Amino acid sequence: MLFRTIDGLLQKAESGRGPIRYQKAAIQAVDSFLRRPAHVTKRAPHIRDATDLKRLMLIVVVSLLPCLFFGIYNTGRLAYLSIGDTSFTLIDAFIEGSIHVLPLVIISYAVGGGCEMIFAQIRKHEIAEGFLVTGMLYPLICPATIPWWMFALGIIFGVVIGKEVFGGTGQNVMNPALTARAFLFFAYPAQMSGDIWVKTPFTRLEDGSFLANSYTTIASDKINAFISGVVPAVDGFSGASLLGVVAENKPGVDAISNFHQMASFSDMFFGFISGSIGETSTLMCLFGAAVLIITGVGSWRTMAGVFSGGLVMASLFFFGAGLDATTILAVTPLEHLVIGGFAFGAIFMATDPVSSPLLNTSRLIYGFLIGCLCILIRVINPAYPEGMMLAILFMNIFASLIDHYVLKVVKKRREARAGF
Amino acid sequence: MIAIDHQREAVSSVGTIYSSKEMLALSKDGVERILLDSGLWAYLDCFPGFGLAPLTINENGEKSSKKIAAVHINLVRTEAHGPDPMLAIGERMNTLVAGINALAKLGACVRVYVQKGRRLPSDVADVATVIEVVDRYPADNLGVQSFYAAALGKDQCVIGADAELTLDVGHLLLHGHKRTERLYCLAGNAAKHPSHYSGRLGIAIGDLLAGALTTTDDVRLISGGLFSGMKVRFQDYLGPKDLGVQAMVEDKLRIPFAFFRLGADRLTLSRTWLSAFKNNVEHEATTNNNGEERACIQCGYCIDICPVKLMPNLIMKAAVTKDIERMEWLSIEDCVDCGLCTFVCPSKIELGHEIDGGKKLIEKEG
């Protein structure tokens, strides 16, 4: 029944009449997504591996689901905590998180997918599958508080400038989802940094008073009770991100104690901290990593490279600074790996095959440099407490250069063996 | 299946019959002459390049610049559904040994490839190095064998002969005329009874397939293996290097939600389907492309699978842009045409075809 409808639509679109012909690319995409295409091989080899891009991208999306679900829960959880409520259930938090996170996922797919469709239609080729992953990654690296219009603008920038102007999927130099986020980060710094991580069910007005939001599933009497001061705030709760707190470098501020008061190591590891929607839980990222490594879709070399690079660089700073340091230098190497977007970037962003280098050795080097650079930016550059996004984008640009030199070494070895 | 009519069997002329002593005394030039006169020279494989095996003195009377570094006698067949070389040899071990002895004169180094566990007569080891290989594609590929055996210098090449050709050479020397029988395979999902068939050289495919297929519409006939074979038609004939016919029904089936399934029976070398984690899965190999062609995403699967450690996707890009210098820098001449890069490519790019185009371009431009 469904397939008969698609067949009918496709026929109409291909006849080239009526407004439906402008949707040909979209209908084809849906059709080939739901059913295996009828194409047969033209020449030897006469048989082909069952794996295609759709399958690869689907595996990546599946590997992102733990992060998405935890992100939804954590968004809801923080919303409840922000009004001093600690008696919510898992389902309460999940529902509250859903109404904030799911619209972002839908906007990401609809707006970004729309851009893809327009380009595919103009270029007269099929819609490439790469966007399945970009569309899922992008909401997970944005704060839950981001205005929808801004979020949509970001993904348009990411898809068009980050990918399509280079020629589409497979041709882009930088990761489109990170390009989108970097665009927002520099274009709207006020909405992308600072105390923006918790989607509170109330708005703080300019005169310091609060106003309850209507777009929430939390009962209004609970919100009002907090606003009127009947319910006190949860002890130690703050909407700031850990990196923001520890990066504060002012005389008299013991940044590292503030940092340790905010969250224990296990909180950081399990993800009960504030941050971008999908990045907080290192554990969930590791589940995703397991899926990617077992299926062979993500390069374990890149991941191993990033983690070891981060560990080495963070150790240098930590042991170099001595034990009496009070700034970000005193964050232990292991803590560096579980806060901010480190794990998420290492596992899902750095492993993007298009923007990372091609050869296995290069991927190790590339990963290692991302890890080093991320910690370097975090510790040395006070303007950007989160270094992962910039580290990956920076190394994306150098990916081909790494490949270039590794290729030369490979070539030399080949020649040495051949005895030319 | 095909009754050979001995009365009408054409035996054109009986040439010289060699005794074992005379055979041992044959020189390189002598073997070359015999093979040239009988026409068997044309069926020797040569790697690298497309051409014939190089003669000591070429047709223009000049010394050939290419030198034969090694002779490979290939008694393994790793591609699915090819006739088993050991079955073709059968009782004719003496003929085989005679063939190996003769071919051994052509190069300084002679290697005989045999499947692990198979036994060969001890006198083979006197003239050649016997190398046991595992039964895994493309272990029977001349280029792959050469890559792992020893490095080739400039202007060097290896030549290869399979079991049937070696038998032909041995038969010619022992009996003075050319062998005409062949062991063919008929396989594929459209074949009623997939099996070995013995027939004669140059059999019409139509004769071989008469009544042997379950269906004849939308069937692809492949001469050779699934990875390297050629499409043929009913009216074609099987030549000396053909192994038989695989008849495959064109698989245009549109499996609903194919990409979302667990895929316990999918044929794959990746690990994205459940079948990759099960042992002894019976896959049905079909001609479906399993996806549409997309841009290269640099996943690196082709690099991991390449048996001679090339970078197929980089060579492909150089070939598409006709960048000869880059193709040569990437050692395009080492490509052995195994087709594995094309098989694994998730973007369904015809890497092998593009690389082949690149090789032909280099050949043309000199």
Side-chain angles (χ1 to χ4, degrees), chain A residues 363-384:
Chain A
R363 284 179 178 171
L364 259 178
I365 300 170
Y366 164 82
F368 189 82
L369 291 177
I370 288 180
C372 291
L373 214 58
C374 169
I375 304 297
L376 196 69
I377 297 172
R378 272 186 187 177
V379 177
I380 301 293
N381 191 333
Y384 309 115

mmCIF file of all heavy atoms in Angstrom, chain A residues 363-384:
data_model
loop_
_atom_site.group_PDB
_atom_site.id
_atom_site.type_symbol
_atom_site.label_atom_id
_atom_site.label_comp_id
_atom_site.label_asym_id
_atom_site.label_seq_id
_atom_site.Cartn_x
_atom_site.Cartn_y
_atom_site.Cartn_z
ATOM 1 N N ARG A 363 45.243 8.429 10.787
ATOM 2 C CA ARG A 363 44.120 8.608 11.707
ATOM 3 C C ARG A 363 44.604 8.622 13.155
ATOM 4 O O ARG A 363 44.092 9.378 13.981
ATOM 5 C CB ARG A 363 43.089 7.500 11.493
ATOM 6 C CG ARG A 363 42.279 7.755 10.238
ATOM 7 C CD ARG A 363 41.268 6.692 9.968
ATOM 8 N NE ARG A 363 40.509 7.052 8.760
ATOM 9 C CZ ARG A 363 39.659 6.256 8.142
ATOM 10 N NH1 ARG A 363 39.443 5.037 8.600
ATOM 11 N NH2 ARG A 363 39.015 6.651 7.069
ATOM 12 N N LEU A 364 45.599 7.808 13.458
ATOM 13 C CA LEU A 364 46.173 7.815 14.806
ATOM 14 C C LEU A 364 46.793 9.180 15.110
ATOM 15 O O LEU A 364 46.543 9.776 16.162
ATOM 16 C CB LEU A 364 47.259 6.744 14.901
ATOM 17 C CG LEU A 364 46.884 5.432 15.581
ATOM 18 C CD1 LEU A 364 48.065 4.481 15.527
ATOM 19 C CD2 LEU A 364 46.473 5.674 17.025
ATOM 20 N N ILE A 365 47.582 9.666 14.156
ATOM 21 C CA ILE A 365 48.258 10.953 14.352
ATOM 22 C C ILE A 365 47.229 12.073 14.487
ATOM 23 O O ILE A 365 47.289 12.909 15.387
ATOM 24 C CB ILE A 365 49.196 11.256 13.158
ATOM 25 C CG1 ILE A 365 50.238 10.147 13.041
ATOM 26 C CG2 ILE A 365 49.837 12.619 13.300
ATOM 27 C CD1 ILE A 365 51.062 10.219 11.767
ATOM 28 N N TYR A 366 46.262 12.030 13.577
ATOM 29 C CA TYR A 366 45.193 13.042 13.554
ATOM 30 C C TYR A 366 44.454 13.075 14.890
ATOM 31 O O TYR A 366 44.259 14.131 15.499
ATOM 32 C CB TYR A 366 44.272 12.674 12.395
ATOM 33 C CG TYR A 366 42.905 13.288 12.329
ATOM 34 C CD1 TYR A 366 42.708 14.557 11.802
ATOM 35 C CD2 TYR A 366 41.785 12.564 12.732
ATOM 36 C CE1 TYR A 366 41.436 15.092 11.686
ATOM 37 C CE2 TYR A 366 40.520 13.090 12.619
ATOM 38 C CZ TYR A 366 40.341 14.360 12.101
ATOM 39 O OH TYR A 366 39.085 14.869 11.988
ATOM 40 N N GLY A 367 44.095 11.885 15.369
ATOM 41 C CA GLY A 367 43.399 11.794 16.648
ATOM 42 C C GLY A 367 44.249 12.334 17.770
ATOM 43 O O GLY A 367 43.794 13.137 18.598
ATOM 44 N N PHE A 368 45.495 11.939 17.790
ATOM 45 C CA PHE A 368 46.399 12.367 18.857
ATOM 46 C C PHE A 368 46.497 13.891 18.896
ATOM 47 O O PHE A 368 46.418 14.516 19.951
ATOM 48 C CB PHE A 368 47.779 11.745 18.635
ATOM 49 C CG PHE A 368 48.719 11.940 19.776
ATOM 50 C CD1 PHE A 368 48.664 11.096 20.877
ATOM 51 C CD2 PHE A 368 49.645 12.975 19.775
ATOM 52 C CE1 PHE A 368 49.522 11.277 21.943
ATOM 53 C CE2 PHE A 368 50.500 13.167 20.840
ATOM 54 C CZ PHE A 368 50.445 12.311 21.930
ATOM 55 N N LEU A 369 46.632 14.489 17.712
ATOM 56 C CA LEU A 369 46.763 15.945 17.658
ATOM 57 C C LEU A 369 45.470 16.632 18.096
ATOM 58 O O LEU A 369 45.509 17.684 18.744
ATOM 59 C CB LEU A 369 47.164 16.394 16.247
ATOM 60 C CG LEU A 369 48.585 15.994 15.847
ATOM 61 C CD1 LEU A 369 48.878 16.405 14.421
ATOM 62 C CD2 LEU A 369 49.603 16.624 16.798
ATOM 63 N N ILE A 370 44.327 16.046 17.760
ATOM 64 C CA ILE A 370 43.057 16.629 18.215
ATOM 65 C C ILE A 370 43.017 16.642 19.740
ATOM 66 O O ILE A 370 42.683 17.652 20.365
ATOM 67 C CB ILE A 370 41.850 15.828 17.666
ATOM 68 C CG1 ILE A 370 41.695 16.077 16.174
ATOM 69 C CG2 ILE A 370 40.563 16.230 18.394
ATOM 70 C CD1 ILE A 370 40.541 15.320 15.553
ATOM 71 N N GLY A 371 43.400 15.507 20.332
ATOM 72 C CA GLY A 371 43.400 15.405 21.798
ATOM 73 C C GLY A 371 44.296 16.454 22.419
ATOM 74 O O GLY A 371 43.895 17.183 23.336
ATOM 75 N N CYS A 372 45.509 16.578 21.897
ATOM 76 C CA CYS A 372 46.464 17.556 22.433
ATOM 77 C C CYS A 372 45.915 18.972 22.307
ATOM 78 O O CYS A 372 45.913 19.752 23.259
ATOM 79 C CB CYS A 372 47.780 17.496 21.666
ATOM 80 S SG CYS A 372 48.699 16.004 21.952
ATOM 81 N N LEU A 373 45.436 19.255 21.086
ATOM 82 C CA LEU A 373 44.984 20.605 20.784
ATOM 83 C C LEU A 373 43.793 21.000 21.655
ATOM 84 O O LEU A 373 43.692 22.135 22.124
ATOM 85 C CB LEU A 373 44.592 20.648 19.301
ATOM 86 C CG LEU A 373 44.845 21.934 18.574
ATOM 87 C CD1 LEU A 373 46.317 22.277 18.657
ATOM 88 C CD2 LEU A 373 44.444 21.771 17.108
ATOM 89 N N CYS A 374 42.896 20.033 21.868
ATOM 90 C CA CYS A 374 41.700 20.313 22.660
ATOM 91 C C CYS A 374 42.092 20.753 24.066
ATOM 92 O O CYS A 374 41.620 21.775 24.563
ATOM 93 C CB CYS A 374 40.825 19.066 22.718
ATOM 94 S SG CYS A 374 39.496 19.208 23.906
ATOM 95 N N ILE A 375 42.995 20.004 24.689
ATOM 96 C CA ILE A 375 43.402 20.343 26.056
ATOM 97 C C ILE A 375 44.179 21.660 26.057
ATOM 98 O O ILE A 375 44.020 22.510 26.941
ATOM 99 C CB ILE A 375 44.254 19.206 26.659
ATOM 100 C CG1 ILE A 375 43.486 17.885 26.616
ATOM 101 C CG2 ILE A 375 44.668 19.546 28.086
ATOM 102 C CD1 ILE A 375 42.219 17.862 27.421
ATOM 103 N N LEU A 376 44.971 21.840 25.020
ATOM 104 C CA LEU A 376 45.753 23.073 24.909
ATOM 105 C C LEU A 376 44.829 24.290 24.873
ATOM 106 O O LEU A 376 45.039 25.273 25.589
ATOM 107 C CB LEU A 376 46.587 23.000 23.626
ATOM 108 C CG LEU A 376 47.741 23.974 23.496
ATOM 109 C CD1 LEU A 376 48.822 23.605 24.495
ATOM 110 C CD2 LEU A 376 48.313 23.936 22.087
ATOM 111 N N ILE A 377 43.777 24.204 24.042
ATOM 112 C CA ILE A 377 42.843 25.332 23.933
ATOM 113 C C ILE A 377 42.116 25.539 25.250
ATOM 114 O O ILE A 377 41.977 26.658 25.741
ATOM 115 C CB ILE A 377 41.844 25.098 22.779
ATOM 116 C CG1 ILE A 377 42.569 25.036 21.441
ATOM 117 C CG2 ILE A 377 40.796 26.205 22.761
ATOM 118 C CD1 ILE A 377 41.701 24.612 20.283
ATOM 119 N N ARG A 378 41.686 24.439 25.858
ATOM 120 C CA ARG A 378 40.973 24.541 27.128
ATOM 121 C C ARG A 378 41.807 25.250 28.193
ATOM 122 O O ARG A 378 41.340 26.129 28.900
ATOM 123 C CB ARG A 378 40.675 23.137 27.659
ATOM 124 C CG ARG A 378 39.388 22.548 27.172
ATOM 125 C CD ARG A 378 39.143 21.231 27.875
ATOM 126 N NE ARG A 378 37.981 20.568 27.300
ATOM 127 C CZ ARG A 378 37.574 19.370 27.686
ATOM 128 N NH1 ARG A 378 38.224 18.716 28.620
ATOM 129 N NH2 ARG A 378 36.503 18.835 27.134
ATOM 130 N N VAL A 379 43.069 24.844 28.301
ATOM 131 C CA VAL A 379 43.883 25.306 29.420
ATOM 132 C C VAL A 379 44.505 26.658 29.146
ATOM 133 O O VAL A 379 44.517 27.533 30.006
ATOM 134 C CB VAL A 379 44.966 24.255 29.743
ATOM 135 C CG1 VAL A 379 45.872 24.754 30.857
ATOM 136 C CG2 VAL A 379 44.314 22.945 30.136
ATOM 137 N N ILE A 380 45.010 26.851 27.936
ATOM 138 C CA ILE A 380 45.794 28.059 27.657
ATOM 139 C C ILE A 380 44.927 29.225 27.219
ATOM 140 O O ILE A 380 45.185 30.368 27.556
ATOM 141 C CB ILE A 380 46.851 27.763 26.566
ATOM 142 C CG1 ILE A 380 47.784 26.652 27.026
ATOM 143 C CG2 ILE A 380 47.624 29.004 26.205
ATOM 144 C CD1 ILE A 380 48.662 27.022 28.199
ATOM 145 N N ASN A 381 43.862 28.943 26.436
ATOM 146 C CA ASN A 381 43.096 30.041 25.877
ATOM 147 C C ASN A 381 41.841 30.299 26.699
ATOM 148 O O ASN A 381 40.887 29.525 26.640
ATOM 149 C CB ASN A 381 42.718 29.693 24.428
ATOM 150 C CG ASN A 381 42.150 30.895 23.722
ATOM 151 O OD1 ASN A 381 41.589 31.785 24.364
ATOM 152 N ND2 ASN A 381 42.298 30.932 22.420
ATOM 153 N N PRO A 382 41.826 31.364 27.489
ATOM 154 C CA PRO A 382 40.693 31.593 28.387
ATOM 155 C C PRO A 382 39.406 31.940 27.657
ATOM 156 O O PRO A 382 38.326 31.827 28.216
ATOM 157 C CB PRO A 382 41.167 32.761 29.252
ATOM 158 C CG PRO A 382 42.206 33.439 28.439
ATOM 159 C CD PRO A 382 42.833 32.413 27.564
ATOM 160 N N ALA A 383 39.492 32.333 26.389
ATOM 161 C CA ALA A 383 38.279 32.742 25.673
ATOM 162 C C ALA A 383 37.414 31.547 25.298
ATOM 163 O O ALA A 383 36.208 31.667 25.132
ATOM 164 C CB ALA A 383 38.654 33.521 24.415
ATOM 165 N N TYR A 384 38.040 30.387 25.118
ATOM 166 C CA TYR A 384 37.280 29.211 24.704
ATOM 167 C C TYR A 384 37.467 28.076 25.698
ATOM 168 O O TYR A 384 38.342 27.239 25.540
ATOM 169 C CB TYR A 384 37.736 28.729 23.317
ATOM 170 C CG TYR A 384 37.772 29.808 22.293
ATOM 171 C CD1 TYR A 384 38.960 30.216 21.715
ATOM 172 C CD2 TYR A 384 36.592 30.443 21.911
ATOM 173 C CE1 TYR A 384 38.993 31.229 20.784
ATOM 174 C CE2 TYR A 384 36.625 31.451 20.975
ATOM 175 C CZ TYR A 384 37.822 31.845 20.416
ATOM 176 O OH TYR A 384 37.857 32.852 19.497
#
